[in-house]
Amino acid sequence: MLGFMAIIHEQTGSAMYLAVVPFIITVAKFSSGFIAPLLLDQYRLKSLLVFSQLAKTLLLFTMQMVTITFSWNLVITFVLVFCISFLDGWATPARNAMLPRLVHRDDLIKANSFVATLDQTVQLGGWASGGILVALIGGNQMIWLTLCLFVISTFFMRLLKDDTEQIGEEDNTTVQSKWQSLKEGWLFIWKVPSIRSIHLIYVFEYFASAVWIAAILYVYVEEILGKDQSWWGYINATFFLGLVIGGFLR
């Protein structure tokens, strides 16, 4: 996201286009979440993780090759960002669903807490170091660095060991209909007022943070504070640091 936004701001100078990148990412992941239950029921979790990461790697590489061969195109960039984020939409649910298979039941609470804290820590380091790297090497080199990390991630995902049989592989009668599988989780969320309220808050928060992180904060740092992109990373890092500290205090 940092690399894409730096390139778009360099090419267009538009705050509106800056906001489109995280907005597209949020919409793509939200859309992907609708079909995630169906995919989790039909395919092995490890296969979903490996396929998602490999496809994202290939898409990112394709985008870089298109940019080098032809020229930078805003529409193509937005389309590929949507596709990459869409693939990422079911990766997190698949990872979370695989976690109980990889650790003992007595250690599951600790494992969930560790993964949640690790996610926030990575976000913290990513925004801080990413902002500094964008300022030092530029947005395009940042994309190449991300591509290298994608390749490494795909390799390590292949090393995961999950021998648990997928539901319904031995008895197809236990597999829910596709429609029931898709609507089951959403119906549960809608029927429980507290969970419904939490998810509505999450939806509003994701869309609001997309505009805040991009269009407002990026331009504010450059035009009002007169600082480079590294300060954009510092400010976002403090935000995620608050999330990490809040997680420990909770």
Side-chain angles (χ1 to χ4, degrees):
M1 186 187 299
L2 286 162
F4 281 131
M5 292 170 65
I7 293 174
I8 289 174
H9 186 261
E10 179 183 346
Q11 296 289 334
T12 66
S14 171
M16 183 187 71
Y17 288 137
L18 277 179
V20 171
V21 175
F23 183 81
I24 287 177
I25 292 174
T26 301
V27 171
K29 289 185 177 181
F30 184 77
S31 303
S32 180
F34 279 102
I35 68 169
L38 179 61
L39 295 173
L40 295 179
D41 284 343
Q42 297 295 321
Y43 301 100
R44 288 183 177 273
L45 299 179
K46 177 182 175 179
S47 299
L48 287 175
L49 285 173
V50 174
F51 173 79
S52 172
Q53 192 63 35
L54 178 61
K56 288 187 297 182
T57 303
L58 294 176
L59 282 172
L60 193 61
F61 178 75
T62 300
M63 189 195 71
Q64 290 297 86
M65 290 296 100
V66 170
T67 302
I68 293 175
T69 305
F70 301 98
S71 61
W72 185 83
N73 184 281
L74 188 63
V75 176
I76 294 177
T77 300
F78 285 159
V79 170
L80 287 174
V81 167
F82 180 90
C83 294
I84 292 172
S85 301
F86 187 84
L87 290 167
D88 199 37
W90 69 65
T92 300
R95 183 204 65 181
N96 294 337
M98 182 182 286
L99 191 60
R101 302 181 180 186
L102 303 178
V103 299
H104 193 272
R105 185 172 183 177
D106 295 336
D107 298 325
L108 185 57
I109 296 179
K110 293 181 180 179
N112 283 325
S113 299
F114 174 77
V115 170
T117 303
L118 184 62
D119 281 342
Q120 298 300 332
T121 304
V122 170
Q123 290 275 19
L124 171 65
W127 282 106
S129 61
I132 296 173
L133 285 173
V134 167
L136 291 176
I137 66 177
N140 189 54
Q141 297 302 320
M142 190 71 175
I143 300 297
W144 282 112
L145 176 60
T146 303
L147 179 61
C148 294
L149 294 175
F150 272 18
V151 172
I152 296 173
S153 178
T154 305
F155 171 76
F156 279 107
M157 282 184 180
R158 286 286 301 167
L159 300 180
L160 288 173
K161 294 183 179 180
D162 179 26
D163 298 326
T164 306
E165 291 186 351
Q166 189 69 17
I167 298 175
E169 285 186 346
E170 295 183 353
D171 184 6
N172 292 329
T173 61
T174 62
V175 180
Q176 297 174 312
S177 67
K178 294 181 179 180
W179 173 243
Q180 184 179 358
S181 178
L182 287 174
K183 71 178 184 179
E184 182 180 25
W186 295 104
L187 288 176
F188 177 77
I189 292 173
W190 185 255
K191 290 179 180 178
V192 182
S194 58
I195 297 180
R196 183 174 66 239
S197 299
I198 291 174
H199 278 77
L200 285 175
I201 292 173
Y202 279 147
V203 171
F204 288 125
E205 181 185 357
Y206 287 152
F207 282 101
S209 64
V211 178
W212 174 71
I213 291 174
I216 298 176
L217 195 56
Y218 193 102
V219 177
Y220 177 81
V221 167
E222 183 178 48
E223 296 185 1
I224 305 300
L225 298 182
K227 302 293 183 179
D228 57 28
Q229 293 93 336
S230 61
W231 279 85
W232 182 46
Y234 297 149
I235 295 173
N236 281 294
T238 57
F239 170 74
F240 288 105
L241 178 60
L243 294 179
V244 174
I245 295 175
F248 280 114
L249 295 178
R250 181 184 63 184

